[in-house]
């Protein structure tokens, strides 16, 4: 029995193993909206160009709309025998409208069709992700504004470094996410060219209007080279690269949430909505949502690496290897969407323990740099000398088992006689953060201003 999809060239049907490895309908059915959208644009162009009749175009349009309704309603039966979403839709269209369905594939190939469908799907995913990133940024900025003056320790090497504010820390992630959003939008601009009409690889002899189909689908223009049109998957790789960086940022934040919510830190408390318990230890409150966000980063970066390996050795133009582009792309971008939504919920629900944060901020001699800066400003001491003096004073405080602000003035003067009582004005953690007024610094006034500016900007985005 010959294969109806491949015409008369093949006398025998494919083996069961060939069908198993070749079929993509199990996952590419996700493209049904994009496939129908592209087919509607193609049919309308064919009719406008006089390549098919208006009556056939009208029947094709009605049949495609019926199929979309059936799939959305869950009444459509997908067949693995028909391999992919394109042939499943075309077969059903033939069952609905008869021979006119065969005219739809005029002047196109599954090669340009699938490139178009996937571009449309990635574009839709980027638009959704950009909105989800904005929503998470808004949640972070709102929490930052509420805690612009809530002091916490800033860390380097996960060791106490200098006091910052909780709001300032959260705004760091707003900045990261803005870069992520920018990368997605850059990728969107580059992908927004229509491959439809490139046909199999060489274009077509039919007098098609590629500008019309590009415009109908919201593309800026048609792609300029038919070989590149069907073999390009840069758009998916760029989206996955942007997703990988975004996931990396979410993972870093998730790690901090895990640390902060531990009994040893006690900086924040997650709500019951984003925590789980233990089957054996009744006291446990596990930050599983954060841990899963952290773990799912591997899926997303793995998808990028997997598609890069698929594409790295392929000659032009289309190869069947490229069927492996979809599962990874679908999974990664949908996973990132889930992680962004989960993180937004955690940020909205988390409650910081201001007292615990302040206590930790004062530990580890976090105001040592403030003392060194005071020596420079007040005594005119070169910073390197001030650094050494401060180190010796910190050593005295450590030996006495007290914080810097509790070390007697006489002990400081034993190291540097010119130190006066005025030094104590810079040694408290609140005074430390208030002094960091440089642009981008952690002073509460800065944080409030930045949080309010971000909230205004994000509101304008809608």
């Amino acid at each position: 029995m010959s294969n109806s999809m491949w015409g008369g060239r093949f006398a025998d049907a494919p083996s069961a193993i060939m069908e198993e490895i070749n079929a993509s309908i199990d996952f590419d059915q996700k493209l049904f909206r994009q496939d129908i959208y592209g087919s509607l644009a193609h049919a309308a162009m064919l009719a406008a160009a006089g390549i098919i009749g208006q009556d056939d175009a009208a029947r094709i349009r009605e049949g495609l709309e019926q199929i979309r309704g059936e799939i959305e309603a869950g009444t459509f039966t997908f067949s693995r025998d028909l391999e992919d979403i394109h042939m499943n839709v075309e077969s059903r269209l033939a069952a609905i409208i008869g021979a006119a369905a065969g005219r739809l594939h005029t002047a196109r190939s599954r090669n340009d069709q699938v490139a178009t469908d996937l571009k449309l799907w990635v574009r839709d995913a980027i638009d959704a992700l950009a909105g989800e990133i904005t929503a998470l940024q808004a949640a972070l900025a709102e929490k930052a504004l509420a805690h612009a003056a809530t002091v916490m320790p800033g860390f380097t090497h996960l060791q106490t470094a200098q006091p910052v504010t909780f709001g300032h820390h959260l705004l760091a992630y707003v900045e990261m996410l803005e870069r992520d959003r920018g990368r997605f939008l850059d990728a969107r601009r580059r992908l927004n060219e229509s491959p439809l009409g490139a046909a199999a690889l060489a274009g077509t002899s039919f007098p098609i209007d590629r500008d019309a189909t590009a415009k109908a689908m919201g593309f800026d223009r048609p792609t300029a080279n038919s070989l590149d049109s069907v073999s390009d998957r840069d758009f998916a790789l760029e989206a996955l690269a942007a997703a990988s960086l975004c996931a990396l940022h979410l993972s870093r934040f998730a790690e901090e949430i895990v640390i902060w919510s531990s009994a040893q830190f006690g900086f924040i408390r997650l709500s019951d909505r984003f925590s789980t318990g233990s089957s054996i230890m009744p006291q446990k409150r596990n930050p599983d949502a954060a841990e899963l966000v952290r773990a799912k980063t591997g899926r997303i970066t793995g998808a990028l690496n997997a598609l890069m390996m698929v594409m790295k050795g392929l000659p032009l133009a289309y190869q069947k290897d490229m069927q492996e582009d979809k599962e990874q792309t679908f999974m990664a971008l949908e996973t990132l969407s889930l992680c962004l939504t989960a993180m937004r919920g955690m940020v909205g629900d988390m409650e910081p323990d201001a007292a615990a944060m302040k206590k930790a901020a004062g530990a580890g001699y976090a105001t040592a740099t403030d003392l060194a800066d005071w020596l420079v400003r007040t005594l005119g001491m070169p910073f390197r000398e001030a650094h050494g003096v401060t180190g010796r004073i910190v050593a005295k405080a450590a030996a006495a088992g007290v914080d810097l602000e509790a070390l007697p003035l006489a002990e400081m003067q034993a190291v540097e006689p010119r130190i006066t009582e005025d030094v104590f004005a810079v040694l408290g953690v609140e005074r430390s953060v208030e002094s960091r007024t440089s642009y981008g610094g952690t002073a509460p006034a800065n944080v409030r201003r930045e949080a309010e500016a971000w909230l205004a900007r994000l509101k304008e985005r809608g």
Side-chain angles (χ1 to χ4, degrees):
M1 182 179 75
S2 64
N3 188 297
S4 60
M5 290 185 295
W6 303 337
R9 175 64 181 84
F10 289 80
D12 295 324
S15 73
I17 292 298
M18 182 61 195
E19 287 185 351
E20 183 67 25
I21 197 171
N22 194 49
S24 61
I25 189 59
D26 293 345
F27 51 85
D28 73 10
Q29 62 184 262
K30 194 181 295 290
L31 295 173
F32 80 88
R33 290 186 179 87
Q34 290 77 19
D35 194 71
I36 291 171
Y37 185 45
S39 290
L40 288 168
H42 186 65
M45 180 277 295
L46 291 176
I51 298 171
I52 67 172
Q54 292 290 344
D55 289 345
D56 284 341
R59 286 195 291 273
I60 288 170
R61 182 177 62 253
E62 291 169 3
L64 289 172
E65 294 290 2
Q66 179 179 330
I67 292 167
R68 176 159 51 194
E70 290 174 356
I71 297 175
E72 289 175 345
T75 60
F76 187 95
T77 301
F78 292 101
S79 170
R80 298 190 88 221
D81 291 341
L82 295 171
E83 289 187 13
D84 57 31
I85 185 61
H86 322 298
M87 298 309 298
N88 269 265
V89 169
E90 185 174 322
S91 176
R92 178 60 181 149
L93 185 63
I96 295 171
I97 69 170
R103 300 190 186 280
L104 176 59
H105 208 55
T106 306
R108 76 174 182 185
S109 162
R110 282 193 293 177
N111 294 355
D112 60 338
Q113 191 178 357
V114 69
T116 302
D117 289 0
L118 188 57
K119 268 197 176 185
L120 289 169
W121 191 94
V122 170
R123 190 178 71 183
D124 290 343
I126 286 174
D127 290 344
L129 288 167
E132 289 159 1
I133 289 171
T134 295
L136 175 54
Q137 288 178 292
L140 287 162
E142 288 168 2
K143 191 72 73 173
L145 183 59
H147 294 281
T150 301
V151 178
M152 70 174 290
F155 298 96
T156 61
H157 308 278
L158 206 56
Q159 306 295 313
T160 301
Q162 292 177 278
V164 296
T165 72
F166 187 49
H168 190 60
H169 196 114
L170 296 179
L171 287 179
Y173 286 101
V174 175
E175 297 288 339
M176 291 185 202
L177 288 164
E178 184 67 7
R179 296 194 295 273
D180 294 326
R181 183 175 178 274
R183 276 183 283 268
F184 275 119
L185 295 182
D186 285 345
R188 190 193 195 284
R189 279 190 286 272
R190 269 184 293 279
L191 74 75
N192 209 35
E193 296 181 347
S194 171
L196 194 61
L201 75 161
T204 178
S205 59
F206 288 96
I208 61 173
D209 185 348
R210 294 190 64 207
D211 288 297
T213 50
K215 182 178 180 181
M217 292 183 288
F219 288 111
D220 295 330
R221 63 191 69 84
T223 51
N225 183 283
S226 60
L227 284 166
D228 180 54
S229 300
V230 298
S231 61
D232 168 43
R233 292 299 182 271
D234 289 0
F235 62 91
L237 287 166
E238 280 200 71
L240 291 175
S244 295
L245 274 169
C246 186
L248 182 151
H249 293 150
L250 296 183
S251 183
R252 293 181 71 180
F253 190 25
E255 171 71 1
E256 294 198 307
I257 290 173
V258 171
I259 292 171
W260 292 345
S261 62
S262 68
Q264 289 73 21
F265 273 71
F267 286 2
I268 64 168
R269 180 181 175 86
L270 291 175
S271 72
D272 291 347
R273 299 197 313 148
F274 292 96
S275 304
T276 64
S278 165
S279 63
I280 191 172
M281 295 170 285
Q283 83 282 8
K284 292 293 294 295
R285 284 177 56 83
N286 299 323
D288 281 7
E291 291 173 2
L292 288 167
V293 167
R294 186 177 60 187
K296 287 180 185 296
T297 301
R299 290 190 180 203
I300 296 167
T301 58
L304 170 62
N305 289 327
L307 186 52
M308 289 178 73
M309 293 304 99
V310 167
M311 299 301 298
K312 71 175 181 63
L314 297 187
L316 297 180
Y318 181 81
Q319 319 292 327
K320 194 65 172 182
D321 311 50
M322 294 162 69
Q323 183 169 290
E324 293 297 306
D325 58 359
K326 297 170 202 60
E327 280 185 286
Q328 301 289 347
T329 302
F330 295 158
M331 177 275 296
L333 299 187
E334 289 174 347
T335 296
L336 181 60
S337 174
L338 175 63
C339 290
L340 286 163
T341 303
M343 191 63 77
R344 179 188 177 192
M346 281 186 279
V347 169
D349 281 7
M350 71 170 61
E351 288 299 329
D353 186 330
M357 285 184 170
K358 181 179 177 181
K359 182 180 178 181
Y365 307 104
T367 57
T369 305
D370 297 279
L371 172 56
D373 289 346
W374 185 89
L375 293 171
V376 171
R377 285 195 309 270
T378 306
L379 303 184
M381 191 179 290
F383 183 80
R384 285 301 171 199
E385 182 181 346
H387 187 283
V389 168
T390 300
R392 292 194 294 275
I393 293 173
V394 167
K396 278 183 169 289
V402 298
D403 294 332
L404 273 178
E405 56 264 43
L407 188 68
L409 178 61
E411 291 292 313
M412 295 188 190
Q413 290 173 333
V415 177
E416 172 49 65
R418 293 179 292 166
I419 295 176
T420 67
E421 288 186 359
D422 292 344
V423 74
F424 292 102
V426 302
L427 295 183
V429 291
E430 289 95 344
R431 291 186 288 273
S432 174
V433 296
E434 287 169 1
S435 72
R436 306 292 172 180
T437 56
S438 60
Y439 180 73
T442 191
N446 285 10
V447 176
R448 290 189 190 94
R449 183 171 58 251
E450 285 299 305
E452 288 170 349
W454 268 114
L455 287 169
R457 188 191 312 181
L458 297 169
K459 185 177 181 181
E460 287 178 2
R461 289 180 188 168

